[in-house]
Amino acid sequence: MAGRVQRTGTGASVLLALPGLFWLVTFFLLPLLFVLYASFQTRGAGGLPVPPTTLEHYERTFDVFWPVIWRTLYFSGLTTLVCLLLGFPVAFFISTRKSARARQLLLFLILLPFWTNFLVRTYALQTILGREGPLNALLLNLGVIQAPLTMLNTPFAVMLGLVYGFVPFMVLPVYASVERLDKRLLEASSDLGANDWHTFWRVVLPLTLPGIVAGSMLVFIPAIGAFVTPDLLGGTRGLMIGNLIQSQFRGRGNIPLGSAISVVLMVVVLLGLLVYTRFGERRD
Amino acid sequence: MKVALSLFTALLLSAALAQGELRLYNWTGYTSQELLQKFEAETGIRVSLDTYDSNETLLAKLKSGATGYDIVVPSHNFVQIFVSEGLLEPIHASEMANYSNIDERWRNPDWDPGNVYTVPWQWGTTSFAVDTALYDGDIDTYEVLFNPPEVFRGRIGMFDSWDEVLPMALRYTGSEICTTDPEAFRRALEVLEAQEPYVKVYTSEGILENMIAGETAMNTYWNGATMRVRAERPTVRYAYPVEGVSGWMDNLALARGAPNKEAALTFINWFLEPENAALQSNFARYANAVSGAEAFMDEPLRTAPEIVPPEGANIIFSPTCPEEYIRLADRVWTRLKQ
């Protein structure tokens, strides 16, 4: 009887999983397979993939696009680091508020930007950082600068845009980790003679590491594929791999080449995830 | 059963209505709603509009099969690609009642001899605009764009598209537009790399805002759009380089398998009335190819230096370039951008 119940349960769960499975296969796996297929095709009229099969696009990806790939990894890594340096203290500050209402309010403020479309927020940054924008106007009026600063279309603007866009993704998982932290351990550490610095490195950091790693992944992976921010805020040397892929899929593009770059990017991200899961397993 | 029957009836009714509905597929922000309303009022044919952002998007959409579109608007240098791919149906424009309204110079164009597949919609040029408050020298040469005065350091905006930038660099270095000579591309790349310290941004978006806000003082741009910049920043001027200006013409065409062929042909012929062509030009701020339309166009449009090229302006409508040109151009561009 128990066996039959077990089997029925399995059958029911398979049945329940079917719609989700269908959705994933149709809108995730099949497009993914198309991208993989297209990456081995030749560029036809209008940049569309046509036979015969070729490895040219992969050769070109590794030949020409390494500077872009490195720049992307650099920007994404730096964004993750800055988000962590900003996000950890914020998350810690929120979690140590005594009042639940204060914590909720602060978390609400962290999430508030999500109420506005990301593109609109990026355009807002474009206006703020502009030559005749409010930031330059303020600095000029205060006499801090004599001529407008060039802030827009610079690597600084790209970094600012990425950090601004992704910092909440770091704060929330870190907050969840810090929230679960047994505060008595901090007292115990202090009682055993450890200073704040020691306590942070030996107690807080190891125990909140899962949140840090999760937050880092939530920032790093989307930052790798970002194209709106570098497109609107970047200058002549702000090209990231996301822009490269986007440009191949529109205008006088090259869909097979764009697909090949996408596959390479996917492999890079998967390797990152593999490291993350292995790291997580080792910690467990 | 009743519900099923009423649903079936509704479906049949909507299908019948769709038969009388013209489906226009045009570039984004490029169709006068007033024009469509006027057409609906005069003919009783309803029009639904869908938009795209590039010729390639249009090509991909039509190649994917039955899209249900009736009229599409490919650019002149893509017409032959669409025809060779069998994506357009002949309209034999020369047999239309209003064909004689098309200006003599726009009849029988290189890209569609005999106007078998297309009629002109809007035409314009691609060059660059300069804020003369910063520089009052001669701007009618690519020299000022590719070997800019120091005042433009970090103040130049370039299109993020080799399709528009490379022809300029090739002309400047004395090469043919559809060249497949790698040496010509090497020279063009050298010019673009030398120009780069003066370039603030490569983008095809937000140029209007950048120029109005003074972020860029020189920017590659289209003629009609430059007119909109000048309305906000009167010191901006549109250049007509002696080396040659890229001309473009967007054309009305009939998509293969168009479900409402008669309605589409009615619209195409109707558009060739001067008053109707003018209505579209007043909206988009680009010239049309219909004789007598000037009389119905807004006053600024009739005299605007961006719309009315100076006498002797060297406007070149590039042909459909071979695949080898595209391959070389793409490589040069990615080399520059990396």
Side-chain angles (χ1 to χ4, degrees):
Chain A
M1 183 65 192
R4 238 173 73 205
V5 170
Q6 184 66 41
R7 267 201 308 280
T8 310
T10 308
S13 57
V14 166
L15 212 63
L16 283 169
L18 275 177
L21 200 65
F22 170 77
W23 183 270
L24 281 171
V25 167
T26 310
F27 298 109
F28 179 72
L29 190 63
L30 290 179
L32 212 60
L33 290 172
F34 171 76
V35 167
L36 192 62
Y37 162 79
S39 70
F40 292 104
Q41 297 298 292
T42 306
R43 183 195 189 278
L48 299 173
V50 294
T53 302
T54 177
L55 285 171
E56 179 201 353
H57 309 297
Y58 283 99
E59 287 165 15
R60 200 169 154 205
T61 298
F62 293 115
D63 171 36
V64 180
F65 301 126
W66 274 120
V68 180
I69 292 166
W70 286 124
R71 187 185 300 123
T72 302
L73 292 171
Y74 167 74
F75 270 131
S76 308
L78 198 57
T79 300
T80 308
L81 185 65
V82 175
C83 282
L84 180 60
L85 293 174
L86 290 173
F88 196 96
V90 170
F92 206 88
F93 175 79
I94 295 170
S95 72
T96 52
R97 296 309 89 199
K98 295 277 189 287
S99 155
R101 198 185 187 120
R103 285 200 301 274
Q104 283 167 358
L105 177 67
L106 289 166
L107 281 173
F108 169 74
L109 291 175
I110 291 288
L111 291 170
L112 197 61
F114 287 114
W115 289 29
T116 310
N117 180 284
F118 181 70
L119 192 62
V120 174
R121 275 151 50 205
T122 309
Y123 272 119
L125 265 182
Q126 206 177 37
T127 307
I128 291 164
L129 298 174
R131 193 178 179 82
E132 295 173 10
L135 188 56
N136 261 321
L138 178 71
L139 294 172
L140 283 165
N141 289 336
L142 291 173
V144 178
I145 54 171
Q146 261 52 62
L149 292 173
T150 302
M151 291 179 282
L152 194 58
N153 308 120
T154 60
F156 161 75
V158 175
M159 275 303 304
L160 185 69
L162 289 171
V163 169
Y164 170 61
F166 293 124
V167 81
F169 294 106
M170 182 65 81
V171 172
L172 296 173
V174 172
Y175 168 78
S177 250
V178 174
E179 185 73 359
R180 283 199 302 270
L181 186 67
D182 188 346
K183 303 297 187 286
R184 290 174 304 176
L185 292 171
L186 306 185
E187 290 168 22
S189 173
S190 181
D191 291 345
L192 291 168
N195 60 22
D196 289 350
W197 192 241
H198 255 93
T199 301
F200 175 76
W201 280 108
R202 305 292 290 275
V203 180
V204 177
L205 197 65
L207 291 173
T208 55
L209 205 57
I212 290 170
V213 174
S216 298
M217 282 294 144
L218 284 175
V219 171
F220 185 73
I221 292 169
I224 276 182
F227 70 88
V228 171
T229 307
D231 194 41
L232 294 178
L233 303 177
T236 55
R237 286 280 177 227
L239 185 75
M240 286 173 72
I241 202 164
N243 305 93
L244 205 55
I245 293 166
Q246 184 217 19
S247 66
Q248 299 306 327
F249 277 90
R250 58 178 289 207
R252 279 288 182 105
N254 184 340
I255 288 173
L257 178 61
S259 300
I261 304 166
S262 300
V263 170
V264 169
L265 176 61
M266 234 177 322
V267 169
V268 169
V269 171
L270 284 171
L271 286 172
L273 281 171
L274 199 68
V275 169
Y276 165 52
T277 49
R278 281 285 160 88
F279 186 76
E281 276 170 20
R282 222 176 58 228
R283 286 212 50 77
D284 290 344
Chain B
M1 185 63 191
K2 269 185 180 173
V3 175
L5 201 64
S6 57
L7 272 172
F8 182 65
T9 311
L11 280 169
L12 278 177
L13 196 64
S14 66
L17 282 171
Q19 279 302 306
E21 183 176 270
L22 175 67
R23 291 194 67 195
L24 172 62
Y25 194 34
N26 202 351
W27 295 74
T28 306
Y30 198 30
T31 315
S32 163
Q33 284 303 317
E34 204 181 331
L35 180 82
L36 301 186
Q37 285 160 10
K38 186 172 187 277
F39 176 73
E40 285 182 13
E42 289 181 15
T43 64
I45 300 168
R46 284 185 57 233
V47 184
S48 72
L49 174 69
D50 206 351
T51 63
Y52 54 87
D53 63 351
S54 70
N55 284 295
E56 286 77 10
T57 303
L58 172 61
L59 183 66
K61 196 71 163 264
L62 294 187
K63 278 194 85 169
S64 69
T67 55
Y69 295 121
D70 299 305
I71 294 175
V72 292
V73 193
S75 299
H76 75 281
N77 57 332
F78 264 76
V79 170
Q80 284 306 316
I81 294 172
F82 279 83
V83 170
S84 65
E85 295 277 346
L87 300 173
L88 303 180
E89 285 193 20
I91 58 169
H92 303 292
S94 58
E95 294 167 19
M96 288 182 173
N98 287 332
Y99 181 72
S100 57
N101 289 348
I102 298 176
D103 194 310
E104 198 70 52
R105 67 187 278 220
W106 300 119
R107 288 187 220 170
N108 198 32
D110 296 341
W111 55 87
D112 183 20
N115 291 100
V116 176
Y117 292 94
T118 66
V119 299
W121 166 253
Q122 300 269 267
W123 77 274
T125 57
T126 305
S127 177
F128 60 95
V130 179
D131 191 341
T132 55
L134 251 77
Y135 177 74
D136 60 358
D138 178 24
I139 65 163
D140 290 327
T141 168
Y142 285 123
E143 181 71 24
V144 77
L145 181 67
F146 292 117
N147 187 18
E150 199 55 35
V151 71
F152 289 113
R153 186 174 287 274
R155 300 291 299 277
I156 296 176
M158 299 291 283
F159 282 130
D160 189 15
S161 152
W162 61 257
D163 207 10
E164 284 153 321
V165 173
L166 267 174
M168 296 182 188
L170 286 167
R171 277 194 199 109
Y172 176 62
T173 53
S175 301
E176 289 295 312
I177 290 310
C178 284
T179 181
T180 54
D181 174 16
E183 186 56 32
F185 281 95
R186 191 190 58 75
R187 287 196 303 270
L189 179 60
E190 279 176 8
V191 161
L192 289 165
E193 283 177 334
Q195 181 211 30
E196 202 187 17
Y198 293 84
V199 177
K200 181 182 179 67
V201 64
Y202 291 104
T203 184
S204 301
E205 312 289 332
I207 298 169
L208 185 88
E209 293 79 6
N210 278 347
M211 287 213 80
I212 290 168
E215 287 294 334
T216 55
M218 173 156 43
N219 221 120
T220 49
Y221 217 15
W222 305 288
N223 60 326
T226 303
M227 189 182 171
R228 292 201 283 274
V229 175
R230 185 166 57 86
E232 300 286 332
R233 213 175 179 101
T235 50
V236 168
R237 250 197 70 208
Y238 187 71
Y240 286 94
V242 289
E243 298 90 342
V245 182
S246 295
W248 51 264
M249 170 74 84
D250 292 328
N251 308 270
L252 294 176
L254 185 66
R256 181 186 64 194
N260 303 295
K261 192 173 175 177
E262 286 311 309
L265 294 173
T266 301
F267 180 86
I268 291 168
N269 184 60
W270 178 88
F271 176 73
L272 296 176
E273 294 280 355
E275 194 179 338
N276 301 331
L279 202 56
Q280 169 58 26
S281 286
N282 289 340
F283 166 78
R285 291 331 221 196
Y286 288 108
N288 61 70
V290 177
S291 296
E294 303 83 17
F296 300 96
M297 279 158 70
D298 294 344
E299 182 55 47
L301 219 57
R302 280 183 255 172
T303 54
E306 298 90 351
I307 309 301
V308 184
E311 198 66 48
N314 183 14
I315 298 171
I316 303 161
F317 286 80
S318 64
T320 305
C321 294
E323 200 59 36
E324 180 60 15
Y325 166 85
I326 291 165
R327 200 179 67 81
L328 286 165
D330 182 35
R331 283 178 181 262
V332 162
W333 192 248
T334 44
R335 181 76 63 185
L336 174 74
K337 292 296 296 296
Q338 71 175 23

